[in-house]
Amino acid sequence: MAVRSLAYIRVEARDLAAWRSYGEGVVGAAATPDSDDDALMLRLDGRPWRFRIEKGEQDRYLCAGLECPDETAWQQTVDRLKAAGVAVEPGSAEMIAQRHVRGLVSLADPAGNRIELVWGNVVAGTPFVSPVGVPAFVTGEMGFGHVVVPTTCYDETRRFYKDLLGFGDSDEMRVHFPGAPPQGLGMSFMHATGPRHHTVAVGEFPAPAGLIHTMVEVPSIDDVGLALDRAIAAGVHISSTLGRHTNDKMISFYMRTPAGFDIEFGCGGEQTVDWTTVTPTFTIKEDLWGHIWDFGA
């Protein structure tokens, strides 16, 4: 297995001020002092940033930074990708410095979702302080959370993450949205080497903003409830009410970002220390309770 965790995501945005208000005032992230008119960096922990919002002509997700534990694992993964015929572009010195990593290549999965494969844990050296009092985000060796990316070539995309990036199966399900085929649409949840239930998931349905959702985790249900109150007070679209997932046991709600994809804000996610002891599951019912969806707005 190669990838350990989700290091960061990058987003393009027309309105950085809207993202700053949302990121600080609703999510509880902290904008870095070196944010400027071209890019807003949001911290969740001791890393220099976990969200990089870049000024642009569109509102959309750009890419995920997937982190390998060390240079050896990173180079082995790069070699495996090249041997499989995947186009791998080395990162420039400027990109590497900007991402606060020690090595970087960029590539795309079979569905066209962009990935920056990185290694090197650079720390900010100053404590994370949430502007709205979030005590902490659950990160560390698990990374900051997970991403759920869209695909129109489900099996090929799933094999790519497993065979070339070293992910393992955690859970699979069929999702029955209105208008979906009778067999439902596939969703595959895959874990990295860290203990988080899934770091990447692929969904067999479109996402106009480029991402279905990303997730951040906090220590307690009170932290989740306070975030829900902040989101409602700010007029943020609530894509799903509070609920608890069957597969990873996360208690969470979903809210729309200024870029059009969702953030899952949750607590209590299941963790696994030794993946060799785990049998992947197939989930029939997505939630133990809650998570009533509203895809509008």
Side-chain angles (χ1 to χ4, degrees), residues 40-84:
L40 168 70
M41 278 74 77
L42 296 171
R43 290 183 64 184
L44 298 178
D45 57 9
R47 295 288 183 100
W49 54 271
R50 294 290 193 171
F51 286 71
R52 180 181 170 87
I53 318 300
E54 302 172 10
K55 182 72 173 178
E57 299 300 317
Q58 302 181 62
D59 293 309
R60 59 172 180 155
Y61 165 81
L62 292 176
C63 77
L66 298 180
E67 183 178 351
C68 294
D70 53 40
E71 186 178 13
T72 298
W74 176 80
Q75 189 61 60
Q76 289 173 345
T77 307
V78 171
D79 292 343
R80 188 162 59 246
L81 288 161
K82 289 180 177 178

Short mmCIF file of all heavy atoms in Angstrom, two decimals, residues 40-84:
data_model
loop_
_atom_site.label_atom_id
_atom_site.label_comp_id
_atom_site.label_asym_id
_atom_site.label_seq_id
_atom_site.Cartn_x
_atom_site.Cartn_y
_atom_site.Cartn_z
N LEU A 40 -6.31 31.93 -1.10
CA LEU A 40 -6.67 31.86 0.32
C LEU A 40 -6.30 30.48 0.82
O LEU A 40 -6.73 29.47 0.27
CB LEU A 40 -8.18 32.09 0.48
CG LEU A 40 -8.79 31.78 1.85
CD1 LEU A 40 -8.33 32.80 2.89
CD2 LEU A 40 -10.31 31.76 1.76
N MET A 41 -5.46 30.42 1.86
CA MET A 41 -5.08 29.15 2.46
C MET A 41 -5.75 29.01 3.82
O MET A 41 -5.69 29.93 4.64
CB MET A 41 -3.56 29.04 2.61
CG MET A 41 -2.84 28.61 1.34
SD MET A 41 -2.74 29.90 0.10
CE MET A 41 -1.44 30.91 0.77
N LEU A 42 -6.39 27.86 4.03
CA LEU A 42 -7.12 27.61 5.27
C LEU A 42 -6.47 26.48 6.04
O LEU A 42 -6.26 25.39 5.51
CB LEU A 42 -8.58 27.26 4.96
CG LEU A 42 -9.40 28.36 4.30
CD1 LEU A 42 -10.76 27.82 3.85
CD2 LEU A 42 -9.60 29.54 5.25
N ARG A 43 -6.17 26.74 7.31
CA ARG A 43 -5.57 25.75 8.20
C ARG A 43 -6.64 25.02 8.99
O ARG A 43 -7.67 25.59 9.36
CB ARG A 43 -4.61 26.42 9.18
CG ARG A 43 -3.35 26.97 8.57
CD ARG A 43 -2.43 27.54 9.64
NE ARG A 43 -1.96 26.51 10.58
CZ ARG A 43 -1.22 26.77 11.66
NH1 ARG A 43 -0.91 28.02 11.97
NH2 ARG A 43 -0.82 25.78 12.43
N LEU A 44 -6.35 23.74 9.29
CA LEU A 44 -7.17 22.94 10.20
C LEU A 44 -6.37 22.40 11.36
O LEU A 44 -6.94 21.85 12.31
CB LEU A 44 -7.81 21.75 9.45
CG LEU A 44 -8.76 22.06 8.29
CD1 LEU A 44 -9.23 20.75 7.66
CD2 LEU A 44 -9.94 22.89 8.76
N ASP A 45 -5.04 22.51 11.26
CA ASP A 45 -4.17 21.86 12.25
C ASP A 45 -2.77 22.44 12.16
O ASP A 45 -2.60 23.59 11.76
CB ASP A 45 -4.16 20.34 12.04
CG ASP A 45 -3.72 19.92 10.63
OD1 ASP A 45 -3.27 20.81 9.86
OD2 ASP A 45 -3.81 18.74 10.30
N GLY A 46 -1.76 21.65 12.49
CA GLY A 46 -0.38 22.12 12.49
C GLY A 46 0.25 22.24 11.12
O GLY A 46 1.38 22.74 11.01
N ARG A 47 -0.41 21.78 10.07
CA ARG A 47 0.11 21.96 8.72
C ARG A 47 -0.07 23.42 8.28
O ARG A 47 -0.97 24.11 8.75
CB ARG A 47 -0.63 21.04 7.73
CG ARG A 47 -0.42 19.54 7.96
CD ARG A 47 0.97 19.11 7.56
NE ARG A 47 1.13 17.68 7.71
CZ ARG A 47 1.04 16.79 6.71
NH1 ARG A 47 0.79 17.21 5.48
NH2 ARG A 47 1.21 15.51 6.94
N PRO A 48 0.76 23.87 7.32
CA PRO A 48 0.62 25.25 6.85
C PRO A 48 -0.77 25.55 6.28
O PRO A 48 -1.27 26.66 6.41
CB PRO A 48 1.70 25.36 5.77
CG PRO A 48 2.74 24.37 6.19
CD PRO A 48 1.97 23.22 6.78
N TRP A 49 -1.39 24.58 5.61
CA TRP A 49 -2.77 24.72 5.14
C TRP A 49 -3.29 23.35 4.70
O TRP A 49 -2.52 22.45 4.39
CB TRP A 49 -2.89 25.73 3.99
CG TRP A 49 -1.97 25.48 2.82
CD1 TRP A 49 -0.71 25.95 2.66
CD2 TRP A 49 -2.25 24.68 1.65
NE1 TRP A 49 -0.17 25.50 1.47
CE2 TRP A 49 -1.09 24.72 0.83
CE3 TRP A 49 -3.35 23.95 1.21
CZ2 TRP A 49 -1.01 24.05 -0.39
CZ3 TRP A 49 -3.28 23.27 0.00
CH2 TRP A 49 -2.12 23.34 -0.80
N ARG A 50 -4.62 23.25 4.66
CA ARG A 50 -5.28 22.03 4.16
C ARG A 50 -6.20 22.33 2.98
O ARG A 50 -6.48 21.45 2.18
CB ARG A 50 -6.09 21.37 5.28
CG ARG A 50 -5.25 20.83 6.43
CD ARG A 50 -4.43 19.62 6.05
NE ARG A 50 -3.89 18.92 7.20
CZ ARG A 50 -3.28 17.74 7.14
NH1 ARG A 50 -3.10 17.13 5.98
NH2 ARG A 50 -2.81 17.16 8.24
N PHE A 51 -6.69 23.57 2.88
CA PHE A 51 -7.49 24.02 1.74
C PHE A 51 -6.75 25.19 1.09
O PHE A 51 -6.39 26.15 1.78
CB PHE A 51 -8.87 24.53 2.18
CG PHE A 51 -9.85 23.47 2.59
CD1 PHE A 51 -9.69 22.77 3.78
CD2 PHE A 51 -10.96 23.20 1.80
CE1 PHE A 51 -10.60 21.81 4.18
CE2 PHE A 51 -11.88 22.25 2.19
CZ PHE A 51 -11.70 21.54 3.37
N ARG A 52 -6.55 25.10 -0.21
CA ARG A 52 -5.99 26.24 -0.96
C ARG A 52 -7.04 26.68 -1.97
O ARG A 52 -7.37 25.93 -2.91
CB ARG A 52 -4.68 25.85 -1.66
CG ARG A 52 -4.06 27.00 -2.44
CD ARG A 52 -2.77 26.58 -3.14
NE ARG A 52 -2.33 27.62 -4.05
CZ ARG A 52 -1.56 28.66 -3.72
NH1 ARG A 52 -1.13 28.76 -2.48
NH2 ARG A 52 -1.21 29.56 -4.60
N ILE A 53 -7.57 27.88 -1.79
CA ILE A 53 -8.62 28.41 -2.65
C ILE A 53 -7.96 29.44 -3.57
O ILE A 53 -7.45 30.47 -3.10
CB ILE A 53 -9.73 29.09 -1.83
CG1 ILE A 53 -10.08 28.24 -0.58
CG2 ILE A 53 -10.95 29.34 -2.70
CD1 ILE A 53 -10.56 26.86 -0.87
N GLU A 54 -7.96 29.18 -4.86
CA GLU A 54 -7.21 29.99 -5.82
C GLU A 54 -8.15 30.84 -6.67
O GLU A 54 -9.15 30.34 -7.20
CB GLU A 54 -6.36 29.07 -6.71
CG GLU A 54 -5.39 28.22 -5.91
CD GLU A 54 -4.68 27.16 -6.73
OE1 GLU A 54 -4.79 27.19 -7.97
OE2 GLU A 54 -4.01 26.30 -6.13
N LYS A 55 -7.83 32.10 -6.80
CA LYS A 55 -8.63 33.02 -7.58
C LYS A 55 -8.68 32.58 -9.04
O LYS A 55 -7.65 32.26 -9.64
CB LYS A 55 -8.03 34.43 -7.49
CG LYS A 55 -8.80 35.50 -8.24
CD LYS A 55 -10.10 35.83 -7.57
CE LYS A 55 -10.78 37.02 -8.25
NZ LYS A 55 -12.09 37.33 -7.63
N GLY A 56 -9.88 32.52 -9.61
CA GLY A 56 -10.02 32.08 -10.99
C GLY A 56 -11.33 32.53 -11.59
O GLY A 56 -12.08 33.31 -10.99
N GLU A 57 -11.63 31.99 -12.76
CA GLU A 57 -12.83 32.38 -13.51
C GLU A 57 -14.02 31.47 -13.23
O GLU A 57 -15.12 31.74 -13.71
CB GLU A 57 -12.52 32.38 -15.01
CG GLU A 57 -11.42 33.36 -15.42
CD GLU A 57 -11.77 34.79 -15.08
OE1 GLU A 57 -12.94 35.18 -15.30
OE2 GLU A 57 -10.89 35.51 -14.56
N GLN A 58 -13.80 30.38 -12.49
CA GLN A 58 -14.86 29.43 -12.20
C GLN A 58 -14.89 29.11 -10.71
O GLN A 58 -13.94 29.40 -9.98
CB GLN A 58 -14.65 28.13 -12.98
CG GLN A 58 -14.59 28.26 -14.48
CD GLN A 58 -14.41 26.91 -15.14
OE1 GLN A 58 -15.25 26.03 -15.02
NE2 GLN A 58 -13.30 26.75 -15.84
N ASP A 59 -16.00 28.49 -10.29
CA ASP A 59 -16.09 27.93 -8.95
C ASP A 59 -16.09 26.42 -9.10
O ASP A 59 -17.07 25.83 -9.57
CB ASP A 59 -17.37 28.40 -8.25
CG ASP A 59 -17.36 29.89 -7.96
OD1 ASP A 59 -16.37 30.35 -7.38
OD2 ASP A 59 -18.33 30.58 -8.32
N ARG A 60 -14.99 25.78 -8.72
CA ARG A 60 -14.87 24.35 -8.94
C ARG A 60 -13.72 23.77 -8.11
O ARG A 60 -12.78 24.46 -7.72
CB ARG A 60 -14.61 24.04 -10.42
CG ARG A 60 -13.34 24.71 -10.96
CD ARG A 60 -12.99 24.26 -12.35
NE ARG A 60 -11.79 24.91 -12.83
CZ ARG A 60 -10.98 24.42 -13.76
NH1 ARG A 60 -11.26 23.25 -14.32
NH2 ARG A 60 -9.91 25.07 -14.13
N TYR A 61 -13.85 22.48 -7.87
CA TYR A 61 -12.77 21.71 -7.26
C TYR A 61 -11.68 21.49 -8.30
O TYR A 61 -11.96 21.23 -9.48
CB TYR A 61 -13.36 20.37 -6.81
CG TYR A 61 -12.39 19.28 -6.47
CD1 TYR A 61 -11.76 19.24 -5.22
CD2 TYR A 61 -12.14 18.24 -7.38
CE1 TYR A 61 -10.90 18.21 -4.90
CE2 TYR A 61 -11.29 17.21 -7.06
CZ TYR A 61 -10.66 17.19 -5.82
OH TYR A 61 -9.82 16.16 -5.50
N LEU A 62 -10.41 21.58 -7.86
CA LEU A 62 -9.29 21.37 -8.77
C LEU A 62 -8.63 20.01 -8.58
O LEU A 62 -8.48 19.26 -9.54
CB LEU A 62 -8.25 22.48 -8.57
CG LEU A 62 -8.67 23.88 -9.01
CD1 LEU A 62 -7.57 24.89 -8.66
CD2 LEU A 62 -8.97 23.92 -10.50
N CYS A 63 -8.19 19.69 -7.35
CA CYS A 63 -7.47 18.45 -7.18
C CYS A 63 -7.32 18.10 -5.70
O CYS A 63 -7.53 18.94 -4.82
CB CYS A 63 -6.09 18.50 -7.83
SG CYS A 63 -4.86 19.43 -6.90
N ALA A 64 -6.92 16.85 -5.46
CA ALA A 64 -6.59 16.36 -4.12
C ALA A 64 -5.11 16.10 -4.04
O ALA A 64 -4.50 15.57 -4.98
CB ALA A 64 -7.36 15.07 -3.83
N GLY A 65 -4.51 16.47 -2.92
CA GLY A 65 -3.13 16.10 -2.63
C GLY A 65 -3.12 14.84 -1.80
O GLY A 65 -3.55 14.84 -0.64
N LEU A 66 -2.67 13.74 -2.40
CA LEU A 66 -2.60 12.45 -1.70
C LEU A 66 -1.16 12.22 -1.26
O LEU A 66 -0.24 12.29 -2.07
CB LEU A 66 -3.07 11.32 -2.62
CG LEU A 66 -4.53 11.42 -3.10
CD1 LEU A 66 -4.87 10.24 -4.01
CD2 LEU A 66 -5.49 11.48 -1.92
N GLU A 67 -1.00 11.93 0.02
CA GLU A 67 0.33 11.90 0.62
C GLU A 67 0.84 10.49 0.86
O GLU A 67 0.14 9.66 1.45
CB GLU A 67 0.30 12.66 1.95
CG GLU A 67 1.64 12.75 2.64
CD GLU A 67 1.57 13.56 3.93
OE1 GLU A 67 0.52 14.18 4.18
OE2 GLU A 67 2.56 13.54 4.67
N CYS A 68 2.06 10.23 0.43
CA CYS A 68 2.76 8.98 0.74
C CYS A 68 3.56 9.18 2.03
O CYS A 68 3.96 10.29 2.35
CB CYS A 68 3.69 8.59 -0.41
SG CYS A 68 2.84 8.16 -1.93
N PRO A 69 3.82 8.10 2.77
CA PRO A 69 4.49 8.24 4.06
C PRO A 69 5.95 8.68 3.98
O PRO A 69 6.46 9.28 4.93
CB PRO A 69 4.36 6.85 4.69
CG PRO A 69 4.17 5.93 3.54
CD PRO A 69 3.39 6.71 2.52
N ASP A 70 6.62 8.38 2.88
CA ASP A 70 8.03 8.76 2.76
C ASP A 70 8.43 8.77 1.29
O ASP A 70 7.63 8.40 0.40
CB ASP A 70 8.93 7.80 3.56
CG ASP A 70 8.72 6.35 3.22
OD1 ASP A 70 8.54 6.02 2.01
OD2 ASP A 70 8.72 5.51 4.14
N GLU A 71 9.66 9.16 1.02
CA GLU A 71 10.11 9.29 -0.36
C GLU A 71 10.16 7.95 -1.07
O GLU A 71 9.84 7.85 -2.27
CB GLU A 71 11.48 9.96 -0.40
CG GLU A 71 11.96 10.25 -1.81
CD GLU A 71 13.30 10.96 -1.85
OE1 GLU A 71 13.98 11.02 -0.80
OE2 GLU A 71 13.67 11.48 -2.92
N THR A 72 10.54 6.89 -0.36
CA THR A 72 10.62 5.57 -0.99
C THR A 72 9.27 5.11 -1.49
O THR A 72 9.11 4.67 -2.64
CB THR A 72 11.20 4.54 0.01
OG1 THR A 72 12.52 4.94 0.37
CG2 THR A 72 11.24 3.16 -0.62
N ALA A 73 8.24 5.20 -0.63
CA ALA A 73 6.88 4.79 -1.03
C ALA A 73 6.38 5.67 -2.17
O ALA A 73 5.70 5.18 -3.09
CB ALA A 73 5.94 4.86 0.17
N TRP A 74 6.69 6.95 -2.11
CA TRP A 74 6.28 7.88 -3.17
C TRP A 74 6.92 7.50 -4.50
O TRP A 74 6.23 7.40 -5.52
CB TRP A 74 6.67 9.29 -2.76
CG TRP A 74 6.41 10.36 -3.77
CD1 TRP A 74 5.21 10.98 -4.02
CD2 TRP A 74 7.36 10.98 -4.64
NE1 TRP A 74 5.36 11.94 -4.99
CE2 TRP A 74 6.68 11.96 -5.39
CE3 TRP A 74 8.73 10.81 -4.84
CZ2 TRP A 74 7.32 12.75 -6.34
CZ3 TRP A 74 9.36 11.60 -5.78
CH2 TRP A 74 8.66 12.56 -6.54
N GLN A 75 8.23 7.25 -4.50
CA GLN A 75 8.92 6.92 -5.75
C GLN A 75 8.44 5.59 -6.31
O GLN A 75 8.27 5.44 -7.53
CB GLN A 75 10.44 6.88 -5.52
CG GLN A 75 11.24 6.75 -6.82
CD GLN A 75 11.01 7.92 -7.76
OE1 GLN A 75 11.28 9.07 -7.40
NE2 GLN A 75 10.51 7.64 -8.96
N GLN A 76 8.21 4.62 -5.44
CA GLN A 76 7.69 3.32 -5.90
C GLN A 76 6.33 3.50 -6.56
O GLN A 76 6.03 2.85 -7.57
CB GLN A 76 7.60 2.35 -4.73
CG GLN A 76 8.95 1.87 -4.22
CD GLN A 76 8.84 1.04 -2.96
OE1 GLN A 76 7.80 1.03 -2.27
NE2 GLN A 76 9.91 0.34 -2.61
N THR A 77 5.50 4.36 -6.00
CA THR A 77 4.17 4.61 -6.57
C THR A 77 4.28 5.33 -7.90
O THR A 77 3.58 5.00 -8.87
CB THR A 77 3.31 5.42 -5.59
OG1 THR A 77 3.31 4.77 -4.32
CG2 THR A 77 1.88 5.53 -6.09
N VAL A 78 5.16 6.32 -7.97
CA VAL A 78 5.39 7.03 -9.24
C VAL A 78 5.85 6.05 -10.31
O VAL A 78 5.36 6.07 -11.45
CB VAL A 78 6.41 8.16 -9.05
CG1 VAL A 78 6.81 8.76 -10.40
CG2 VAL A 78 5.85 9.25 -8.14
N ASP A 79 6.78 5.17 -9.97
CA ASP A 79 7.28 4.18 -10.93
C ASP A 79 6.17 3.25 -11.39
O ASP A 79 6.09 2.89 -12.58
CB ASP A 79 8.42 3.37 -10.31
CG ASP A 79 9.67 4.20 -10.05
OD1 ASP A 79 9.78 5.30 -10.63
OD2 ASP A 79 10.52 3.75 -9.26
N ARG A 80 5.32 2.84 -10.46
CA ARG A 80 4.21 1.95 -10.81
C ARG A 80 3.22 2.65 -11.75
O ARG A 80 2.71 2.03 -12.71
CB ARG A 80 3.51 1.50 -9.52
CG ARG A 80 2.46 0.42 -9.72
CD ARG A 80 2.14 -0.30 -8.40
NE ARG A 80 1.64 0.61 -7.38
CZ ARG A 80 2.27 0.89 -6.25
NH1 ARG A 80 3.46 0.36 -5.99
NH2 ARG A 80 1.74 1.71 -5.36
N LEU A 81 2.95 3.90 -11.52
CA LEU A 81 2.05 4.67 -12.39
C LEU A 81 2.64 4.79 -13.80
O LEU A 81 1.94 4.57 -14.81
CB LEU A 81 1.82 6.06 -11.81
CG LEU A 81 0.94 6.14 -10.56
CD1 LEU A 81 1.17 7.46 -9.83
CD2 LEU A 81 -0.54 5.98 -10.91
N LYS A 82 3.92 5.11 -13.87
CA LYS A 82 4.57 5.25 -15.19
C LYS A 82 4.57 3.92 -15.94
O LYS A 82 4.33 3.89 -17.16
CB LYS A 82 5.99 5.77 -15.01
CG LYS A 82 6.08 7.22 -14.56
CD LYS A 82 7.54 7.65 -14.40
CE LYS A 82 7.67 9.11 -14.03
NZ LYS A 82 9.09 9.52 -13.83
N ALA A 83 4.85 2.83 -15.22
CA ALA A 83 4.88 1.52 -15.86
C ALA A 83 3.52 1.13 -16.41
O ALA A 83 3.42 0.38 -17.39
CB ALA A 83 5.36 0.47 -14.86
N ALA A 84 2.45 1.66 -15.81
CA ALA A 84 1.09 1.37 -16.27
C ALA A 84 0.64 2.31 -17.38
O ALA A 84 -0.50 2.22 -17.85
CB ALA A 84 0.13 1.46 -15.09
#
